[in-house]
Amino acid sequence: MDIEFNKREDQNRLKLSEINRLFSEIKKGGGEKRLQKLRDEGKMTARERIEYLLDKDSDSIEIGGFAGYEMYEEHGGCPSGGVIVVMGYVSGRQCIVVANDASVKAGAWFPITGKKNLRAQEIAMENRLPIIYLVDSAGVYLPMQDEIFPDKEMFGRIFRNNAKMSAAGIIQISAVMGSCVAGGAYLPIMSDEAMIVEGTGSIFLAGSYLVKAAIGETIDNETLGGATTHCSISGVTDYKAKDDKDALNRIKNIMKSLGSTEKAGFDRIESTQPKEKPENIFGIMPVSRTEQYDTYDIIKCLVDNSEYEEYKPDYGKSIICATARIDGWSIGIVANQRKLVKNGKGEMQFGGVIYSDSADKATRFIANCNQRKIPLVFLQDVTGFMVGSKSEHGGIIKDGAKMVNAVSNSVVPKFTIITGNSYGAGNYAMCGKAYDPRLIVSWPWADLAVMGGAQAAKVLAQIQESTLKKQGKEISEEEHNQILNTITKKYQKQTEATYAAARLWTDAIINPVDTRKWISMGIEAANHSPITEKFNLGVIQV
């Protein structure tokens, strides 16, 4: 390996180390004192419950671990959105587990909590996976009720999804392991099977204080809505558990009893490791997002035996399209080539930019993968579509629209890995969050924005300075630099991988070495959901 490779490797590993350090802090939830308080009450923490429930030595992936990062600081923060979501295996069955973290504001729902719960349900619904709820929540966080309660994609959508999943035959299991109040009380009862832990679990529409205030009745919470009440009198819950582990063991037994499901039929053979080590990605990826590199080198680090079959290799070279296998699964790859390339006409094309011929090629390839029932993997490092008179006259908008159309109407599962840049319409064409990837993750150094930081900052600075000049203010060079630096710092903060993950624009920030696991588990999940739609591009400009 050359010295530049070693420098890049060191810098990129440092970036991963920083992400890991931040996540270690996030995993502490509301802090060690609050976690210990839960244990003193006879409870397990949310992460302890999940660890106990999942099969030992099995793979798992955490969805939305960075949700809420550096958000709601005026309210004390909301680590991981106050809820833990994991895709893993219980009694050998792949499933989604959702566990309220009662160490964070007693498990109360912030706006990001609702968004994260809806994302968990979306993954379960798309892939027809069983979903397990470990409930321990004080309900809606009242100081922000206007941002969580009334709209379509807010708190009430959770229960609508409960009903839709039940009607679709998607298994839902709930264990009430702490508070379950007000509207939240509907979630476990709309599940297929519900249990409650004696002594710590409680379910009611209104607690004892509110009951006293509303109707003058004096009653304690245990008598009002504890385990004995709901298992022996109301019939609201199906089982009474003596403690957390007893409830989790019962869930394991229920999962053992589930029947087999129909498969989508995605092709899989025996897995082989890449010949090029995935760890080499750290030395291949440049530290600066503007530097060039050869995307073929990245692909070789990800696919089985480092082998792929390229589609139209001599045409539309700024996008690489190829079939390959990851962990044995047959996949189609759509990747931005980040190296300067020469097209068939002998013209140089910038790396990371989508040109007309590349968009045309990608559209045809996506159609082929849909025809052959091959899941698609998008490797995003894109700065956007090519601009200028030559591109406009050549119909770049039309060709770009074809590609966006194909991505939008694709019926095979799509998975998006943001390896570097994800800017503007390039994000859309390369299957950004708005285009329903089954999973979308970023590498630690990824940038997501409408345009690059340097360009955006200059535009914003020009607008601000123009406004000041209209007010009769002269801008000195020092003031210009101060304005530019302030805007650049703020804008660049908003492009970072942590900013996107905090808002669930991505599902996770991952170690590049784990990319194969995420894609493999994602396709395995998707294989539980047979394709019922036909691929149709609709009306497009040919």
Side-chain angles (χ1 to χ4, degrees):
M1 300 297 178
D2 60 30
I3 191 167
E4 282 304 315
F5 181 98
N6 292 335
K7 285 181 179 178
R8 291 191 294 267
E9 183 178 37
D10 289 344
Q11 289 297 310
N12 287 326
R13 285 193 179 278
L14 281 173
K15 186 65 177 176
L16 174 62
S17 177
E18 174 62 12
I19 292 297
N20 289 340
R21 185 193 66 78
L22 290 174
F23 195 38
S24 293
E25 289 299 311
I26 288 169
K27 284 182 175 181
K28 295 176 183 177
E32 187 53 46
K33 285 185 178 179
R34 291 183 182 176
L35 292 172
Q36 188 56 46
K37 183 180 178 182
L38 295 176
R39 298 184 187 106
D40 293 342
E41 293 170 355
K43 296 180 179 181
M44 301 168 76
T45 68
R47 292 188 179 276
E48 288 168 351
R49 287 166 176 167
I50 292 176
E51 183 181 6
Y52 183 84
L53 180 63
L54 295 181
D55 295 346
K56 296 292 182 283
D57 301 320
S58 64
D59 283 336
S60 64
I61 53 179
E62 182 168 345
I63 310 294
F66 271 86
Y69 174 67
E70 293 188 333
M71 296 170 66
Y72 315 119
E73 291 183 341
E74 68 276 22
H75 296 277
C78 188
S80 280
V83 63
I84 317 302
V85 175
V86 171
M87 180 190 289
Y89 302 87
V90 175
S91 299
R93 294 294 296 264
Q94 193 175 23
C95 60
I96 300 292
V97 182
V98 180
N100 299 114
D101 186 352
S103 76
V104 179
K105 292 287 193 296
W109 289 55
F110 283 67
I112 197 67
T113 316
K115 187 174 183 179
K116 186 170 174 179
N117 275 268
L118 288 171
R119 177 60 178 145
Q121 289 185 321
E122 180 183 39
I123 293 170
M125 293 168 80
E126 285 179 330
N127 300 293
R128 298 188 63 84
L129 288 180
I131 183 166
I132 298 166
Y133 307 102
L134 307 180
V135 184
D136 193 348
S137 171
V140 167
Y141 183 60
L142 289 178
M144 302 188 73
Q145 64 85 27
D146 61 320
E147 297 181 46
I148 180 63
F149 170 65
D151 211 345
K152 181 178 179 180
E153 297 295 331
M154 289 185 178
F155 191 65
R157 191 77 170 182
I158 304 290
F159 316 125
R160 176 264 188 195
N161 287 348
N162 288 144
K164 287 289 186 180
M165 281 191 278
S166 183
I170 298 169
I171 304 300
Q172 300 175 85
I173 304 168
S174 290
V176 179
M177 312 177 89
S179 297
C180 184
V181 301
Y186 289 106
L187 185 147
I189 314 313
M190 295 186 76
S191 300
D192 300 297
E193 300 203 47
M195 62 201 71
I196 184 169
V197 177
E198 190 171 15
T200 56
S202 59
I203 308 170
F204 34 66
L205 296 180
S208 57
Y209 291 116
L210 187 55
V211 168
K212 176 70 173 177
I215 64 173
E217 181 183 2
T218 301
I219 189 170
D220 64 89
N221 282 338
E222 184 65 24
T223 305
L224 180 66
T228 299
T229 294
H230 286 310
C231 288
S232 303
I233 301 173
S234 71
V236 164
T237 48
D238 304 314
Y239 311 104
K240 184 198 301 185
K242 64 181 181 180
D243 55 25
D244 282 6
K245 287 187 177 180
D246 187 33
L248 297 170
N249 287 335
R250 189 176 289 277
I251 293 172
K252 292 180 183 183
N253 289 334
I254 293 171
M255 291 293 286
K256 284 179 186 176
S257 70
L258 301 184
S260 61
T261 58
E262 188 180 353
K263 302 297 184 190
F266 302 125
D267 186 59
R268 190 181 197 185
I269 61 174
E270 186 177 351
S271 174
T272 56
Q273 289 296 312
K275 287 182 179 177
E276 300 294 330
K277 294 180 180 179
E279 290 84 357
N280 288 346
I281 290 170
F282 291 101
I284 295 168
M285 291 296 296
V287 175
S288 169
R289 296 277 60 80
T290 60
E291 288 182 41
Q292 303 279 300
Y293 64 92
D294 194 338
T295 302
Y296 289 104
D297 293 338
I298 298 294
I299 293 172
K300 290 173 186 175
C301 292
L302 295 176
V303 301
D304 288 10
N305 212 34
S306 299
E307 294 177 345
Y308 54 87
E309 184 73 25
E310 189 170 2
Y311 174 75
K312 290 183 180 288
D314 298 320
Y315 176 70
K317 291 184 177 182
S318 74
I319 285 183
I320 300 167
C321 297
T323 52
R325 290 188 182 271
I326 285 183
D327 198 23
W329 294 105
S330 175
I331 59 159
I333 296 172
V334 180
N336 302 111
Q337 171 58 294
R338 279 308 311 264
K339 189 173 75 169
L340 200 66
V341 293
K342 187 181 291 185
N343 67 13
K345 299 176 184 178
E347 302 165 331
M348 297 306 295
Q349 295 183 338
F350 296 105
V353 178
I354 302 176
Y355 292 78
S356 285
D357 53 357
S358 302
D360 175 64
K361 177 173 79 171
T363 301
R364 293 168 182 264
F365 180 72
I366 290 167
N368 285 351
C369 287
N370 276 269
Q371 182 81 357
R372 295 162 60 186
K373 203 158 76 171
I374 300 173
L376 286 161
V377 174
F378 291 83
L379 301 179
Q380 262 199 31
D381 193 348
V382 58
T383 55
F385 286 88
M386 191 58 191
V387 297
S389 60
K390 186 175 181 179
S391 292
E392 298 293 359
H393 296 170
I396 185 66
I397 295 176
K398 179 178 66 176
D399 290 318
K402 289 181 191 177
M403 184 175 174
V404 170
N405 197 317
V407 173
S408 302
N409 287 298
S410 178
V411 297
V412 296
K414 306 183 292 277
F415 303 89
T416 301
I417 316 296
I418 303 173
T419 63
N421 298 318
S422 180
Y423 294 157
N427 169 281
Y428 302 157
M430 290 295 293
C431 197
K433 184 68 180 288
Y435 293 81
D436 298 323
R438 297 293 176 98
L439 295 170
I440 177 169
V441 299
S442 73
W443 288 352
W445 42 78
D447 279 352
L448 284 79
V450 72
M451 65 174 70
Q455 304 96 307
K458 287 177 182 177
V459 171
L460 291 168
Q462 287 171 1
I463 293 171
Q464 186 171 332
E465 288 174 10
S466 177
T467 301
L468 291 171
K469 286 177 181 178
K470 286 179 181 178
Q471 297 171 356
K473 298 178 181 178
E474 289 297 322
I475 307 299
S476 67
E477 183 176 350
E478 183 180 349
E479 288 171 327
H480 165 77
N481 290 334
Q482 186 177 3
I483 289 170
L484 184 61
N485 289 337
T486 300
I487 291 173
T488 299
K489 186 176 180 180
K490 180 180 178 181
Y491 189 88
Q492 288 181 339
K493 180 69 176 177
Q494 294 176 352
T495 70
E496 292 176 357
T498 51
Y499 193 91
R503 288 151 182 81
L504 291 174
W505 301 344
T506 59
D507 291 318
I509 305 170
I510 68 168
N511 183 337
V513 174
D514 291 332
T515 303
R516 283 170 53 85
K517 178 175 76 170
W518 274 79
I519 293 171
S520 179
M521 286 189 68
I523 298 175
E524 182 184 353
N527 201 37
H528 290 87
S529 181
I531 297 173
T532 56
E533 300 175 89
K534 288 186 177 180
F535 177 70
N536 188 336
L537 281 176
V539 178
I540 61 170
Q541 297 288 334
V542 178

